[in-house]
Amino acid sequence: MTVHAIEATAISKKFGNLLALSDVNFSVADGETFGFLGPNGAGKTTTIRILTGITAPTAGTATIFGHDIVRETIAARRQMGIVHEISNVYDDLSAWHNILFASELYNVPRSAGERRGKELLELFGLWERKDDRVKVFSKGMKRRLTLAMGLVNDPRLLFLDEPTSGLDVQSNLIIRDVIRELTGQGVTVFLTTHNIEEANLICDRVAIINRGQIAAIDSPERLKKTIQSVQSVEVAFDPSSPKLLEHLRELPLVSEVRKEGDKFRLITEDPSGVIENVTTYAREHHTRIISMTTIGPSLEDVFIRLTGLMIRVKGVKAID
Amino acid sequence: MTDLNESCGQLCRELKAAWAIAKKDIRIYYLKPNIIVSGMLFPLFMFLAFAIGRDAPPTMLVPGLIAITILFSASSIEPVSIPIERRTKTFDRLLSAPVSLHSVVLGESMSGFLYSTGIALVPLSAGIILFSTPIVQPLALIGGVLLTSFCFATMGTLFAAYPTESPGDIMSMLNLVRLPLIFVSGVFIPVNALPQIGQIAVLFSPLTYGNDLIRAGFEGTTHFNPLMDVLAICVFILLFQVAANHLYRKFNE
Ligand SMILES: Nc1ncnc2c1ncn2[C@@H]1O[C@H](COP(=O)(O)OP(=O)(O)OP(=O)(O)O)[C@@H](O)[C@H]1O
Ligand SMILES: [Mg+2]
């Protein structure tokens, strides 16, 4: 029998009257990259805090490579690296002292800690700045340093709480590359995000969590299949007019229309029927179709469906 | 290969992590202005307020100054550093490290302990140089300084368990305890000279026993049995350590 990297059984967490997590069950296999996807306040950080033993669950249990996180906290933690949601670096220490402190806290021998520290600072593009106090670092630099600190003990299991939120493209790419490389080496990664594309790109499996409850767990592709009914046709017209939105909504077979930039997205269960209707409409109204494509459901569609964030249609953008 | 680290068991790991925490505090907090104010200037002014206008001999005043300097400086690091680290979330690093909470508490207290031992040298050398106060029992003096420092450093860590992100909250609670302690510890008023109720109250103050040892360093005699002094301080240290461990766990639920 292989032991799971993470096994969470019936976890609940109450803060006073607030039920932050309710009967959360999932397991993460050794070597898997597992994404926890959910809107703000869904309970992602709370889950990580429970799995890393910072807070105790109100009910339920969690094991890390077979070690109960409440009863065998230290044995469980020795296997893990943690990158907290907020870049919690020591502003008054240099980058170098930050990383050395992290290695001492995890009992990495001094020489190994220095070697690994240097490697990681180089990897994250911070080696030239190693003697600067972190106070003067930019947000992205602090984030990269936080990641480096989480890796200094060569963890078997890495917790990443929104590793890339608020970062520029370059920092994002570095971080994603590092995650890919780690998974290539067999490291298990548990990451939270509200960036659907990120989850789609790097996760083997994704759990969608909303209001403290898990709505679905599966691979990104399989999740998309579950809502095969949500297909869509994307179309652009020339000339485009604001009236089009009204008209397209009234076309038969179309269940919903979203304006996306200069294009319209028509949600339907029957893409080919809609294509015919749109073509007819264009001919009758003397407008030209510049482009028209059918697209399958995206993870975003799954997410919206499962978390019930349909208010988006009314103009409130609820997800990044 | 049997290098030191591989033969190092969990206890050894715990102590190393505690030392890493202490070192980090030393690097970051020893030079913070508010720590210098509460750790050095505060006891000095307290002392002046008492000493000026009284014609007590230096052998009476110097040990008292040392005792209150320790009281204030040892408990001035953690009540500042821990709320700040709660705010910056760096405290979560310590709470999620592969070490027991006891080691976190110990590491935090160690920085206060070293700070106060260093600061105590100031009134000590002032006493020796300015008033040429003789030291008659160096062992009692050293033991008194070290134990008292450790005791109040742990007390500082205990108070810092209160889950706030503002150092002021903890400082005001702490002063509610530290200020009265000065009066019921025989620091400026000898235990014998206190009223009956005061003589009972002194028994519950760790400063009484620390002050007794430090005073013995200069005067040669103790009010209590010196062994009882040592034992009493150790009991307080243990009490504070266990209570701190309990509170950090509780407030983190
Ligand atoms: N210490 C706490 N005390 C009280 N309530 C809390 C505490 N920590 C979290 N909560 C509540 O638990 C719920 C889940 O919070 P959590 O931080 O886990 O969300 P999240 O999914 O990480 O959100 P985000 O995407 O904004 O980071 C929220 O309603 C939050 O207010
Ligand atoms: Mg969060």
Side-chain angles (χ1 to χ4, degrees):
Chain A
M1 197 197 88
T2 52
V3 58
H4 279 113
I6 304 173
E7 181 94 65
T9 316
I11 289 187
S12 296
K13 179 72 184 179
K14 270 189 174 168
F15 294 108
N17 283 330
L18 180 94
L19 190 58
L21 290 177
S22 156
D23 193 31
V24 167
N25 288 284
F26 64 91
S27 59
V28 178
D30 194 0
E32 192 173 29
T33 301
F34 189 85
F36 227 52
L37 184 63
N40 291 136
K44 303 183 294 296
T45 300
T46 304
T47 306
I48 288 201
R49 290 175 75 84
I50 288 171
L51 295 177
T52 54
I54 299 181
T55 39
T58 311
T61 56
T63 59
I64 304 294
F65 292 111
H67 298 289
D68 187 285
I69 188 63
V70 175
R71 282 180 288 112
E72 306 162 79
T73 315
I74 293 172
R77 282 181 184 165
R78 261 208 231 117
Q79 327 258 356
M80 51 171 94
I82 310 169
V83 174
H84 298 267
E85 180 172 32
I86 289 165
S87 296
N88 52 353
V89 289
Y90 296 95
D91 274 350
D92 292 307
L93 297 181
S94 65
W96 183 239
H97 278 137
N98 263 288
I99 204 149
L100 282 189
F101 172 65
S103 75
E104 285 170 12
L105 203 55
Y106 280 80
N107 228 270
V108 179
R110 174 127 196 139
S111 57
E114 286 180 354
R115 180 167 34 77
R116 188 75 180 123
K118 180 169 191 279
E119 268 172 28
L120 286 166
L121 289 184
E122 281 171 348
L123 179 65
F124 287 103
L126 294 169
W127 180 246
E128 273 70 49
R129 305 292 299 272
K130 74 176 165 64
D131 294 320
D132 289 4
R133 286 213 298 177
V134 167
K135 192 169 266 172
V136 303
F137 278 19
S138 75
K139 184 175 166 185
M141 291 163 77
K142 285 187 186 179
R143 196 72 192 135
R144 281 181 272 152
L145 179 59
T146 313
L147 261 117
M149 289 168 82
L151 288 171
V152 79
N153 61 326
D154 286 317
R156 260 178 98 186
L157 167 62
L158 184 62
F159 286 98
L160 300 170
D161 200 350
E162 291 179 33
T164 59
S165 91
L167 296 188
D168 66 8
V169 179
Q170 199 199 347
S171 297
N172 256 324
L173 287 179
I174 297 179
I175 289 171
R176 276 183 207 160
D177 274 353
V178 172
I179 295 174
R180 273 204 205 95
E181 193 172 318
L182 288 170
T183 48
Q185 294 163 9
V187 174
T188 309
V189 176
F190 180 99
L191 74 93
T192 73
T193 180
H194 27 215
N195 185 336
I196 292 164
E197 199 40 36
E198 178 169 273
N200 190 24
L201 279 176
I202 51 185
C203 296
D204 296 315
R205 278 193 312 142
V206 176
I208 293 178
I209 180 168
N210 190 34
R211 293 163 194 258
Q213 285 182 315
I214 293 200
I217 305 181
D218 219 325
S219 67
E221 285 311 311
R222 292 248 289 278
L223 281 174
K224 287 179 206 164
K225 281 219 179 70
T226 59
I227 54 156
Q228 215 35 273
S229 60
V230 190
Q231 305 205 53
S232 51
V233 174
E234 199 179 73
V235 58
F237 297 97
D238 180 35
S240 189
S241 100
K243 269 202 195 144
L244 277 168
L245 192 62
E246 296 284 307
H247 291 169
L248 292 173
R249 280 209 175 113
E250 280 153 20
L251 288 183
L253 300 176
V254 172
S255 60
E256 186 196 329
V257 182
R258 296 184 208 152
K259 187 171 182 311
E260 295 183 343
D262 61 344
K263 292 177 275 298
F264 295 92
R265 187 147 168 214
L266 289 65
I267 315 285
T268 178
E269 288 181 26
D270 179 5
S272 52
V274 166
I275 289 176
E276 261 173 50
N277 293 344
V278 171
T279 320
T280 317
Y281 170 85
R283 199 170 43 239
E284 284 171 2
H285 291 76
H286 309 288
T287 174
R288 203 162 59 86
I289 295 170
I290 309 176
S291 73
M292 181 147 67
T293 17
T294 60
I295 21 189
S298 68
L299 200 53
E300 181 165 325
D301 294 320
V302 183
F303 187 83
I304 291 171
R305 167 71 67 93
L306 290 174
T307 58
L309 290 173
M310 293 307 285
I311 35 171
R312 190 178 187 275
V313 186
K314 294 187 194 125
V316 182
K317 195 167 189 306
I319 30 176
D320 288 348
Chain B
M1 203 179 83
T2 54
D3 77 32
L4 201 68
N5 271 300
E6 294 194 20
S7 58
C8 173
Q10 184 60 27
L11 180 66
C12 181
R13 283 199 203 102
E14 298 278 345
L15 291 176
K16 279 184 176 172
W19 175 234
I21 293 171
K23 261 197 314 190
K24 179 261 307 169
D25 281 358
I26 292 170
R27 284 211 173 91
I28 299 177
Y29 298 102
Y30 274 21
L31 292 176
K32 288 249 186 240
N34 45 354
I35 285 178
I36 293 178
V37 168
S38 66
M40 295 171 79
L41 298 182
F42 204 62
L44 182 66
F45 288 129
M46 288 298 300
F47 171 75
L48 291 176
F50 276 96
I52 287 173
R54 299 206 314 175
D55 50 357
T59 41
M60 172 78 200
L61 291 176
V62 171
L65 177 60
I66 295 175
I68 54 169
T69 302
I70 292 175
L71 169 68
F72 282 94
S73 60
S75 55
S76 66
I77 305 273
E78 283 61 49
V80 174
S81 70
I82 291 177
I84 291 179
E85 298 204 359
R86 266 196 203 100
R87 189 164 59 216
T88 60
K89 309 289 176 203
T90 43
F91 199 58
D92 281 349
R93 283 193 181 280
L94 312 186
L95 294 178
S96 60
V99 291
S100 78
L101 211 45
H102 273 299
S103 303
V104 174
V105 172
L106 177 70
E108 293 287 351
S109 306
M110 256 200 273
S111 63
F113 161 72
L114 291 173
Y115 181 72
S116 132
T117 324
I119 302 282
L121 290 177
V122 178
L124 181 62
S125 25
I128 295 169
I129 296 163
L130 298 181
F131 307 108
S132 37
T133 32
I135 295 168
V136 289
Q137 288 202 16
L139 203 65
L141 177 64
I142 295 169
V145 167
L146 294 183
L147 283 172
T148 315
S149 293
F150 202 79
C151 184
F152 289 115
T154 314
M155 187 176 94
T157 312
L158 169 65
F159 274 75
Y162 181 72
T164 173
E165 297 184 352
S166 147
D169 291 351
I170 292 170
M171 276 301 178
S172 43
M173 280 197 311
L174 198 55
N175 281 337
L176 227 56
V177 172
R178 290 194 298 198
L179 295 175
L181 275 190
I182 300 176
F183 299 97
V184 289
S185 302
V187 174
F188 291 110
I189 310 154
V191 174
N192 299 330
L194 286 171
Q196 193 68 39
I197 182 146
Q199 299 223 8
I200 295 166
V202 288
L203 298 177
F204 298 95
S205 158
L207 190 59
T208 303
Y209 309 100
N211 178 59
D212 201 31
L213 283 174
I214 294 169
R215 194 161 292 283
F218 294 91
E219 294 177 341
T221 54
T222 48
H223 179 80
F224 301 101
N225 182 328
L227 266 182
M228 177 184 159
D229 284 332
V230 171
L231 201 73
I233 302 176
C234 289
V235 167
F236 275 107
I237 293 175
L238 208 68
L239 221 67
F240 293 155
Q241 170 80 27
V242 170
N245 190 70
H246 175 77
L247 287 185
Y248 280 101
R249 189 173 309 273
K250 180 173 171 288
F251 285 130
N252 222 36
E253 288 286 273

